[in-house]
Amino acid sequence: MSSRAPEPRMRDAARFHHPSRDTALSARAGGRRRKLTLGSLALLTTTAILTGGCSSSSAKEAAPSTPGADSSDETSARPPTPTGPTRTASPAPSLDATVKEITDAQWSRMVATGLWRKGCPDVRDQLRRVEMNHMGFDGKVHRGVLVVNADVAASAIRIFTQLLEEGFPIRRMEPMESYDGDLNASLRADNTSAFNCRRPEQINAPFRKSPHANGRAIDINPFENPWKDLRTKSWSPSSKYAARTEGRGKILKGGLVWRAFTEEGWIWQNIKVPDYMHFDTGYPSAPFKGPSATP
């Protein structure tokens, strides 16, 4: 692949709508789920607020405060205060996903913040901006953005449709340029993200082979699902939720998030150390061949 940034150009948008009961849901795992109606989702949301979900998390977890700058140590005991752009609540509890090619303006910001630089995979034309709704820890539906490879966009939409319908909370979902390309800042903000050709001191794999650098990896709720950084011998961004016990926003083997991703052919924590937030489609990264990989 060429290490030169491709010439930017304007692109058209393609739109995905929320799957119907007779199509997307009937195809999922032998029809084990049923589509939640608006009333059911509202009831689920109300129940989650009243009972704190299925976990023992306290009310403080729903109104988090920011960990210190060195958030990988044992003192980082509470989730972070969001530090990125202000989110706006979405009026309807449907995914309402839209897939767009990366605009010149967004690509310029990505390059300026170091998300793409010489030596990174030449993926400008392969990346897509997926705008979609998600359930927040506040029990409301918010609009989020993931930047992923075009060949996993449809799969990601199916996965996050299921997570929204089941009321799984995601604290934030913003592209990495919102955090100046700084992985640690994104982790501290409990931000769910995908594409990131990470800085040399923040990577575990060579640029060209990395699933994140190719837009085929997604990190979900990093604070609730930390990873073990062997370079510092500590959990990042915090050790508070390192134990794999039930809890709001946590990923457990056999649980909702694990099933949604693995049924689509994704791999959980595809690394030799615990990395509970991370799903990817394989290492070294290659074109995705999962179910219905293209729209």
Side-chain angles (χ1 to χ4, degrees):
M1 300 181 192
S2 170
S3 61
R4 180 179 60 86
E7 290 295 326
R9 60 179 183 277
M10 299 302 294
R11 294 163 168 83
D12 297 325
R15 190 170 188 82
F16 286 80
H17 295 287
H18 184 67
S20 68
R21 176 192 296 269
D22 296 331
T23 56
L25 296 181
S26 62
R28 195 183 302 279
R32 288 176 293 179
R33 302 185 300 105
R34 63 183 181 84
K35 181 177 181 181
L36 292 178
T37 64
L38 178 60
S40 298
L41 184 54
L43 178 59
L44 176 61
T45 301
T46 303
T47 304
I49 296 173
L50 293 176
T51 66
C54 61
S55 75
S56 59
S57 301
S58 68
K60 287 185 179 180
E61 293 170 9
S65 63
T66 307
D70 183 10
S71 60
S72 61
D73 61 28
E74 296 294 331
T75 63
S76 301
R78 290 186 292 175
T81 296
T83 56
T86 302
R87 298 178 299 168
T88 56
S90 173
S94 63
L95 194 76
D96 191 25
T98 301
V99 179
K100 303 176 181 179
E101 295 189 2
I102 303 300
T103 64
D104 293 346
Q106 183 175 6
W107 182 251
S108 294
R109 292 194 300 273
M110 293 165 72
V111 173
T113 57
L115 289 178
W116 189 94
R117 59 197 176 278
K118 186 176 181 180
C120 292
D122 196 2
V123 292
R124 161 73 195 268
D125 290 338
Q126 299 174 33
L127 294 179
R128 296 294 182 270
R129 176 186 174 95
V130 181
E131 301 174 1
M132 55 187 167
N133 292 337
H134 65 88
M135 183 66 67
F137 277 77
D138 58 2
K140 299 179 181 179
V141 178
H142 298 274
R143 196 71 173 163
V145 174
L146 279 182
V147 176
V148 299
N149 198 294
D151 59 21
V152 302
S155 179
I157 287 171
R158 289 190 295 270
I159 290 167
F160 282 92
T161 293
Q162 183 176 353
L163 300 189
L164 176 62
E165 288 177 345
E166 298 290 348
F168 180 82
I170 294 174
R171 197 174 305 278
R172 304 183 70 80
M173 186 187 295
E174 295 164 349
M176 285 297 302
E177 60 267 26
S178 299
Y179 299 90
D180 293 326
D182 185 348
L183 172 64
N184 291 329
S186 178
L187 296 181
R188 288 194 297 267
D190 206 14
N191 181 50
T192 294
S193 65
F195 171 77
N196 184 3
C197 186
R198 293 172 174 174
R199 298 171 182 176
E201 70 276 11
Q202 297 180 340
I203 62 172
N204 293 310
F207 296 152
R208 292 189 178 276
K209 296 181 179 181
S210 167
H212 273 295
N214 283 275
R216 300 188 183 102
I218 300 175
D219 291 340
I220 299 177
N221 290 348
F223 197 84
E224 289 75 19
N225 304 286
W227 79 290
K228 190 67 173 290
D229 188 344
L230 295 183
R231 291 167 295 186
T232 60
K233 297 182 180 181
S234 60
W235 291 94
S236 179
S238 169
S239 63
K240 181 178 175 73
Y241 296 110
R244 289 299 86 192
T245 55
E246 292 286 344
R248 292 187 71 213
K250 296 178 72 173
I251 300 169
L252 305 177
K253 184 176 182 179
L256 169 65
V257 183
W258 183 89
R259 293 195 310 271
F261 273 92
T262 58
E263 287 171 5
E264 288 279 337
W266 293 65
I267 305 167
W268 186 40
Q269 48 177 347
N270 192 14
I271 191 174
K272 293 181 179 179
V273 298
D275 192 4
Y276 300 131
M277 70 185 81
H278 179 90
F279 289 91
D280 67 45
T281 59
Y283 177 86
S285 188
F288 183 52
K289 303 296 184 183
S292 303
T294 56

